[in-house]
Amino acid sequence: MKPPVQPIETRSVPDLVTAELRRSIVSGDLAPGETFSLRKIAAMLDVSFIPVREALRNLEGEGLVITRPGRSACVAPLDLDDLQGIYRIRRNLEPELAGRSCLLISDAELDRLQTQVEDFGDPQHTIQTVYDSHHEFHAALLAPAAGTWEMRVLNMLWRAAERYIRIGFGRIDPAPEDKLRRRHAHEVLLEAFRRRDPDAAAEAVLVHLTRNEETALRALAVVTDAKAAGGS
């Protein structure tokens, strides 16, 4: 007898195309402002136009792509106003979630995240190699208090901020002590959560976000200066 519900593929072709294009954009492989045709992307990924078109709609909704009827698509440029808007929303959302999550997250999960943080200081890591783990760390820290929509919005905001940092720091060779500072900054977050004090956790996340925005602004300045120098 045929079962009423059939197994399905967990990730569709449009999902896979979306993920690959998103990776290319946030890493800078597809540069801000770069134009490309559906035909070119479809040929590179060996898929038809249909999943590419759907992927571009998804990425436009995330603010990563600009599509123009009858013209090529374009990677959204890096923009100061956009960056500041991203962090305004994050400052309104993440500290409040942190204040609730610190009362819900388990000691075992905090111990797991501590192990993850220790790896952040590995001198072999670059911003490119550590960023997926960094994203997972922040998601796990806030997940106990976050609903489906909150996590959906957070993931969109994190991806939007991510490319400012990854593209900018791809042009910088940070000193080893910068990697140790990255590890220490995340240990401070864990210490605040272990105190089970909502105000302390919220404040720690707010300070962390402020420093992140300064890093992203620095990255944006690097990219802008490089672009100006290249055009001069």
Side-chain angles (χ1 to χ4, degrees):
M1 179 178 177
K2 184 178 178 180
V5 178
Q6 298 292 313
I8 60 172
E9 184 65 36
T10 57
R11 301 194 73 186
S12 67
V13 173
D15 288 340
L16 294 170
V17 173
T18 300
E20 177 56 22
L21 289 178
R22 184 190 293 119
R23 183 205 64 76
S24 297
I25 291 169
V26 299
S27 68
D29 291 339
L30 286 173
E34 181 175 347
T35 59
F36 52 87
S37 67
L38 270 66
R39 184 181 301 277
K40 175 183 175 182
I41 294 297
M44 290 171 60
L45 297 177
D46 193 23
V47 296
S48 70
F49 289 172
I50 295 173
V52 174
R53 189 178 294 115
E54 186 171 337
L56 291 178
R57 282 199 297 266
N58 294 337
L59 294 171
E60 186 170 32
E62 296 178 12
L64 296 177
V65 165
I66 298 169
T67 59
R68 295 163 289 189
R71 300 174 63 185
S72 297
C74 171
V75 177
L78 299 178
D79 182 85
L80 176 61
D81 289 340
D82 285 350
L83 175 59
Q84 292 173 328
I86 290 165
Y87 276 93
R88 275 196 300 273
I89 299 171
R90 291 184 66 181
R91 283 192 296 270
N92 280 310
L93 182 57
E94 293 180 46
E96 189 273 335
L97 285 173
R100 291 190 285 117
S101 185
C102 75
L103 301 175
L104 301 171
I105 195 168
S106 69
D107 288 336
E109 180 68 347
L110 290 173
D111 290 343
R112 184 187 72 82
L113 293 175
Q114 177 63 46
T115 301
Q116 191 172 349
V117 163
E118 289 169 4
D119 189 52
F120 288 172
D122 187 332
Q124 301 301 315
H125 279 312
T126 67
I127 194 66
Q128 305 294 346
T129 61
V130 80
Y131 216 100
D132 286 345
S133 179
H134 177 265
H135 184 125
E136 193 277 332
F137 170 88
H138 283 279
L141 204 59
L142 299 180
T148 301
W149 272 101
E150 288 163 319
M151 287 307 303
R152 187 174 296 168
V153 170
L154 282 174
N155 278 309
M156 185 183 301
L157 292 168
W158 289 337
R159 289 191 196 107
E162 176 182 348
R163 66 187 191 126
Y164 286 86
I165 297 173
R166 288 180 69 163
I167 292 171
F169 275 80
R171 300 174 182 268
I172 298 172
D173 183 19
E177 55 267 25
D178 289 336
K179 296 170 185 179
L180 294 177
R181 277 195 291 269
R182 179 169 60 211
R183 170 179 168 174
H184 175 70
H186 291 85
E187 287 176 335
V188 168
L189 288 176
L190 288 178
E191 289 168 6
F193 272 63
R194 286 189 189 278
R195 289 166 58 186
R196 308 294 184 179
D197 180 338
D199 290 338
E203 179 63 21
V205 167
L206 184 59
V207 169
H208 191 81
L209 283 171
T210 299
R211 290 175 178 165
N212 279 356
E213 184 173 12
E214 291 170 354
T215 299
L217 287 168
R218 178 185 171 201
L220 179 58
V222 169
V223 173
T224 302
D225 290 347
K227 184 176 180 180
S232 60

